[in-house]
């Protein structure tokens, strides 16, 4: 069944639909992105202040075929040129995941190509390989998305050790909830990032939570409550709130904690390479802070371009290449696994 292209290239059609982006990409040899099509549903979900799962699934169904067709077209290739079809099968919203998984299975079966089920977070981490052709494991990676906040040691391709995780809210979730509370709306992360540029990060002191017994674990729910308490107390005392100052001070608290924990991980593991991944990794203040902290320690800092930090299929194609090399193929009975853990297959 393995039908490498004559050029020796391994060409993968990758599909991603775990949340509210319908995406497909063609990636050659894991790092050469020939197309990266993303159809975002942000406009629809903005009306409701967050992702509505039922609407997300329906939109994925509408968009999945056009997005796959466009990805092949922009890559100037056909389905028959592909060596494998890869798809995110978890974690994520089950109805959303199922659309991508069903489409990938249908395409793989019809074209008689192998199928690769890919972990969404493995995809986020692998986004770093695309623009950094020299990056190889081992390295430390901070994964910060809407659903995850992990400090991971990437020991090898496909071999991960999670050394820190959030005890409550994910970093992106905290951004989204605080944005809603200060009236910035959805999606919160980019709006706070923008508002914070006009605010003073030192104007309000919000707590930097420590988790007892762990240098690496995160907790963001206390910070979120502190912001809500601040807003309530201003409201009760008729003190005007400056949303830009709240955004900047909140963002600084998140960035300080993420930077501090990441640097402890670097110091304690002795690793000289550090990468970031996930939607929150596109945050400008976080990127600046980590860049500076890494430079001070002589550690190489890797970060994907913002478009490769948020959900996309190119990152799934990058991860899939290494799973392909390892022979980790999926059966046509592949199912969506909404709470899939990193390292599970
Ligand atoms: O990785 P992602 O696209 O989807 C998940 O896998 O969850 O991450 C989405 C999260 C959202 O919470 C969004 O608010 C956050 O990433 N985000 C940001 C920024 N851009 C997206 N957070 C902070 N600053 C940003 N610039
Ligand atoms: Zn994601």
């Amino acid at each position: 069944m393995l039908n490498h292209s004559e050029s020796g290239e391994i060409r993968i059609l990758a599909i991603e639909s775990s949340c509210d982006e319908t995406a497909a990409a063609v990636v050659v040899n894991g790092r050469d992105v020939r197309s990266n099509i993303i159809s975002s549903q942000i406009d629809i979900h903005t009306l409701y202040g967050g992702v509505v799962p039922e609407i997300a699934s329906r939109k994925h169904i509408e968009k999945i075929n056009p997005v796959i067709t466009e990805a092949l077209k922009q890559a100037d290739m056909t389905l028959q040129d592909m060596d494998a079809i890869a798809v995110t099968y978890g974690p994520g919203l089950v109805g959303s995941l199922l659309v991508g998984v069903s489409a990938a299975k249908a395409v793989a079966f019809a074209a008689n190509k192998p199928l690769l089920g890919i972990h969404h977070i493995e995809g986020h981490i692998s986004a770093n390989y695309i623009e950094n052709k020299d990056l190889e494991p081992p390295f430390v990676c901070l994964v910060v998305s809407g659903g995850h906040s992990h400090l991971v040691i990437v020991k090898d391709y496909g071999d991960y050790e999670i050394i820190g995780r959030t005890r409550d809210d994910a970093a992106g979730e905290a951004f989204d909830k605080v944005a809603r509370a200060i009236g910035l709306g959805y999606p919160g992360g980019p709006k706070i990032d923008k508002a914070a540029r006009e605010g003073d990060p030192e104007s309000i002191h919000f707590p930097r939570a420590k988790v007892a017994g762990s240098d690496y674990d995160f907790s963001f729910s206390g910070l979120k409550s502190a912001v809500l308490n601040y807003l309530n107390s201003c409201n009760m005392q008729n003190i005007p709130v400056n949303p830009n100052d709240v955004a900047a001070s909140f963002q600084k608290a998140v960035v300080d904690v993420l930077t501090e924990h990441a640097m402890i991980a670097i110091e304690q593991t002795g690793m000289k390479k550090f990468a970031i991944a996930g939607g929150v990794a596109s945050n400008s203040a976080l990127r600046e802070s980590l860049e500076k902290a890494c430079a001070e320690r002589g550690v190489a800092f890797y970060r994907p371009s913002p478009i490769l930090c948020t959900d996309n299929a190119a990152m799934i194609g990058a991860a899939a290449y290494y799973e392909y090399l390892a022979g980790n193929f999926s059966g046509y009975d592949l199912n969506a696994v909404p709470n899939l853990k990193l390292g599970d297959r």
Side-chain angles (χ1 to χ4, degrees), residues 23-53:
V26 172
V27 182
V28 174
N29 293 344
R31 303 198 186 216
D32 178 6
V33 176
R34 298 293 174 88
S35 63
N36 188 21
I37 309 300
I38 305 168
S39 169
S40 173
Q41 305 177 358
I42 280 180
D43 291 353
I44 309 157
H45 298 295
T46 299
L47 301 173
Y48 302 95
V51 177
V52 183

Side-chain angles (χ1 to χ4, degrees), residues 169-249:
D169 292 351
E173 208 176 338
F175 270 93
D176 293 336
K177 288 177 178 168
V178 166
R180 198 173 306 148
I182 55 179
L184 295 177
Y186 170 87
K191 295 205 167 155
I192 290 201
D193 196 343
K194 192 157 171 257
R197 283 181 215 142
E198 311 296 322
D200 174 5
E202 309 296 340
S203 56
I204 312 155
H205 183 78
F206 292 128
R208 274 73 171 151
K210 289 242 181 294
V211 175
S214 171
D215 283 341
Y216 301 135
D217 282 359
F218 305 104
S219 166
F220 294 110
S221 74
L223 170 59
K224 177 192 66 191
S225 301
V227 175
L228 296 178
N229 289 341
Y230 171 82
L231 295 173
N232 282 339
S233 85
C234 288
N235 200 9
M236 278 157 61
Q237 298 169 69
N238 271 330
I239 300 171
V241 170
N242 179 337
N244 295 341
D245 284 347
V246 179
S249 303

